[in-house]
Amino acid sequence: MWRTGLQTRSEPVARMHELAPGERLLGWLYVGGRDRDKRGRRKPIHAKTMLTTL
Protein backbone atom coordinates (compact mmCIF):
# COMPACT_ATOMS: atom_id res chain seq x y z
CA MET A 1 0.00 0.00 0.00
CA TRP A 2 1.34 3.45 -0.87
CA ARG A 3 0.89 6.11 1.81
CA THR A 4 1.58 9.82 1.39
CA GLY A 5 0.31 13.05 2.87
CA LEU A 6 1.25 15.85 5.24
CA GLN A 7 3.23 13.53 7.50
CA THR A 8 5.71 12.74 4.72
CA ARG A 9 6.49 16.45 4.39
CA SER A 10 6.82 17.26 8.10
CA GLU A 11 10.10 18.45 9.62
CA PRO A 12 10.21 15.71 12.33
CA VAL A 13 9.91 13.00 9.65
CA ALA A 14 12.63 14.64 7.53
CA ARG A 15 14.94 14.67 10.58
CA MET A 16 14.14 11.05 11.43
CA HIS A 17 15.05 9.96 7.88
CA GLU A 18 18.11 12.26 7.90
CA LEU A 19 17.06 13.94 4.68
CA ALA A 20 19.56 16.40 3.24
CA PRO A 21 18.49 19.94 2.33
CA GLY A 22 16.49 19.75 -0.88
CA GLU A 23 15.53 16.08 -0.37
CA ARG A 24 11.89 15.14 0.11
CA LEU A 25 10.14 11.99 1.20
CA LEU A 26 7.44 11.10 -1.34
CA GLY A 27 5.69 8.50 0.79
CA TRP A 28 5.89 5.12 2.43
CA LEU A 29 5.39 1.80 0.73
CA TYR A 30 3.89 -0.78 3.09
CA VAL A 31 4.84 -4.25 1.93
CA GLY A 32 3.45 -6.28 4.80
CA GLY A 33 5.08 -8.87 6.94
CA ARG A 34 4.94 -12.43 8.10
CA ASP A 35 2.44 -13.71 10.60
CA ARG A 36 4.73 -15.24 13.24
CA ASP A 37 2.08 -17.78 14.23
CA LYS A 38 1.90 -19.31 10.75
CA ARG A 39 4.58 -21.64 9.50
CA GLY A 40 5.31 -23.21 6.14
CA ARG A 41 5.15 -21.93 2.62
CA ARG A 42 2.56 -19.57 1.23
CA LYS A 43 0.37 -20.69 -1.63
CA PRO A 44 1.62 -19.35 -4.97
CA ILE A 45 -0.33 -16.53 -6.58
CA HIS A 46 -0.83 -15.94 -10.28
CA ALA A 47 0.30 -12.42 -11.14
CA LYS A 48 -2.20 -12.07 -14.02
CA THR A 49 -5.08 -12.32 -11.53
CA MET A 50 -3.57 -9.72 -9.19
CA LEU A 51 -2.11 -7.04 -11.48
CA THR A 52 -3.55 -4.66 -14.04
CA THR A 53 -2.09 -2.05 -16.39
CA LEU A 54 -3.19 1.45 -17.22
Side-chain angles (χ1 to χ4, degrees), residues 22-39:
E23 289 183 325
R24 293 188 178 131
L25 180 66
L26 297 176
W28 287 282
L29 181 61
Y30 293 94
V31 294
R34 283 187 65 157
D35 186 345
R36 294 181 185 257
D37 295 335
K38 292 185 179 180
R39 301 212 185 266

Side-chain angles (χ1 to χ4, degrees), residues 36-51:
R36 294 181 185 257
D37 295 335
K38 292 185 179 180
R39 301 212 185 266
R41 298 185 62 85
R42 293 182 181 183
K43 293 180 182 177
I45 62 167
H46 300 285
K48 286 185 178 184
T49 64
M50 305 297 284
L51 303 174

